[in-house]
Amino acid sequence: LRELPKFWNQTVDEETLRRIASNIQKLYREENHHLVVVSYELISNKQNPDKAAAYFTIKEGPKSAIKRVYFVGNDHILSRKLRHILLTKENWLLNFMDNAGVYNEEMLEMDKHRLEYFYRDHGYLMAKVAKADVEFSEDKKNISVTFYIKEGNLFTVRELHVVGDEIHDEKELMPLVQLEQDAPFSQNKLVGTMNKIKDL
């Protein structure tokens, strides 16, 4: 683990100790010790009342890795396609190549938004990731993550129009449109169309 910033010979209080303990926990979690417990104690110096010693007790816990990622509610998009877009990945033999198996709460939150965007890009405009459950195995070494998805209805493009002006009319602008009539709505194609028109 990286060395924590030196704080000896400095004034410390309860909040400082709590912050240091939190930093220690963060360092351990970055090394996949997600169940680490850090406690602290401030012991006064009997010979010198102005000084004290801070003691941190660390219970590392086992090293954990993500073993499986599950999806519930994905009736129309295959799980393997959804797994492909996630930052949170299942552990595998060559995990050092892509950081697979690492559990990170911030990354998990980002994955919820990535899933929702992916669904919007495939026509499910009201799709929502209700929650993501994290479960440790009995020996605490393996982690399972389950995403609960509400897909909602599939939206297709009924009509396409581009309102032109005195510079470019609809006939000139329509070839720039990437969306397709009677096809599922796509967030990426909408943004791509807008950018092409802006460039023109």
Side-chain angles (χ1 to χ4, degrees):
L1 293 177
R2 298 190 301 273
E3 185 180 356
L4 288 167
K6 296 179 176 62
F7 63 93
W8 47 81
N9 293 329
Q10 296 182 14
T11 301
V12 293
D13 54 17
E14 188 76 15
E15 178 57 32
T16 303
L17 295 176
R18 187 162 41 245
R19 188 169 65 250
I20 293 169
S22 177
N23 286 339
I24 293 173
Q25 284 182 319
K26 184 178 179 182
L27 291 173
Y28 268 96
R29 285 169 182 158
E30 288 175 359
E31 298 294 328
N32 283 335
H33 290 272
H34 300 289
L35 300 177
V36 61
V37 177
V38 181
S39 57
Y40 56 84
E41 185 180 8
L42 194 63
I43 299 178
S44 300
N45 188 325
K46 293 180 180 180
Q47 283 74 36
N48 189 342
D50 293 331
K51 291 187 179 294
Y55 288 88
F56 293 89
T57 303
I58 302 171
K59 295 181 180 178
E60 294 182 335
K63 198 167 187 176
S64 310
I66 294 175
K67 187 71 174 178
R68 291 294 294 167
V69 175
Y70 300 102
F71 302 93
V72 175
N74 57 317
D75 298 327
H76 298 96
I77 298 182
L78 296 174
S79 294
R80 60 179 175 81
K81 285 189 176 181
L82 298 179
R83 284 193 191 96
H84 186 67
I85 67 167
L86 296 180
L87 298 172
T88 302
K89 299 189 181 296
E90 296 175 348
N91 198 21
W92 68 303
L93 185 62
L94 301 178
N95 55 15
F96 61 89
M97 295 176 63
D98 58 2
N99 225 21
V102 172
Y103 167 61
N104 181 293
E105 289 183 7
E106 293 178 4
M107 207 156 62
L108 198 65
E109 195 62 32
M110 289 173 64
D111 280 336
K112 289 164 68 175
H113 296 297
R114 289 171 74 93
L115 288 169
E116 289 174 355
Y117 189 92
F118 183 82
Y119 265 94
R120 284 199 298 272
D121 196 42
H122 288 76
Y124 295 90
L125 299 183
M126 309 301 291
K128 188 76 177 172
V129 178
K131 62 176 180 175
D133 278 351
V134 178
E135 189 175 334
F136 286 81
S137 63
E138 194 172 336
D139 61 5
K140 309 300 182 186
K141 293 183 178 180
N142 295 319
I143 303 172
S144 297
V145 177
T146 304
F147 292 93
Y148 291 85
I149 299 169
K150 296 180 179 178
E151 290 185 329
N153 295 326
L154 174 66
F155 288 80
T156 57
V157 179
R158 184 174 62 188
E159 293 180 11
L160 284 169
H161 299 284
V162 183
V163 179
D165 56 17
E166 65 276 4
I167 300 176
H168 298 288
D169 59 21
E170 185 175 33
K171 186 177 180 181
E172 292 177 279
L173 296 174
M174 277 304 293
L176 302 178
V177 177
Q178 298 177 6
L179 292 165
E180 300 171 51
Q181 194 166 315
D182 298 324
F185 172 84
S186 166
Q187 187 79 18
N188 276 337
K189 289 182 179 180
L190 174 65
V191 173
T193 298
M194 293 169 64
N195 288 336
K196 281 181 174 292
I197 292 175
K198 284 178 183 178
D199 289 342
L200 179 65

